[in-house]
Amino acid sequence: MSSPTVHTVSILWLLVAGLFSLVVALIAGILKSSVDARLAEAVLYGGTAFAASMGVALPILVVLNLM
């Protein structure tokens, strides 16, 4: 069995960052909707949370030489 290439590992770390950001976005949207916000407002809040957490995760991956 061959070991995974650097490219494959980078893609997997990018997927982990994306899934982490998705979980953050879902939690933010659910919390926003629980305070009687409209659906559109909760979705925009979740999208902002996704973008912010992905914006933090990508530089961390670059600094750790995982990308």
Side-chain angles (χ1 to χ4, degrees), residues 17-48:
L19 290 174
F20 172 76
S21 297
L22 181 64
V23 170
V24 169
L26 286 171
I27 291 171
I30 290 169
L31 288 175
K32 187 67 171 179
S33 68
S34 72
V35 293
D36 295 331
R38 295 182 316 221
L39 178 63
E41 188 178 352
V43 169
L44 285 173
Y45 199 78
T48 303

Side-chain angles (χ1 to χ4, degrees), residues 41-67:
E41 188 178 352
V43 169
L44 285 173
Y45 199 78
T48 303
F50 178 85
S53 61
M54 196 67 168
V56 170
L58 288 179
I60 290 173
L61 291 176
V62 170
V63 166
L64 295 175
N65 290 326
L66 297 173
M67 291 293 298

Side-chain angles (χ1 to χ4, degrees), residues 11-23:
I11 290 174
L12 289 175
W13 276 112
L14 186 60
L15 182 64
V16 167
L19 290 174
F20 172 76
S21 297
L22 181 64
V23 170

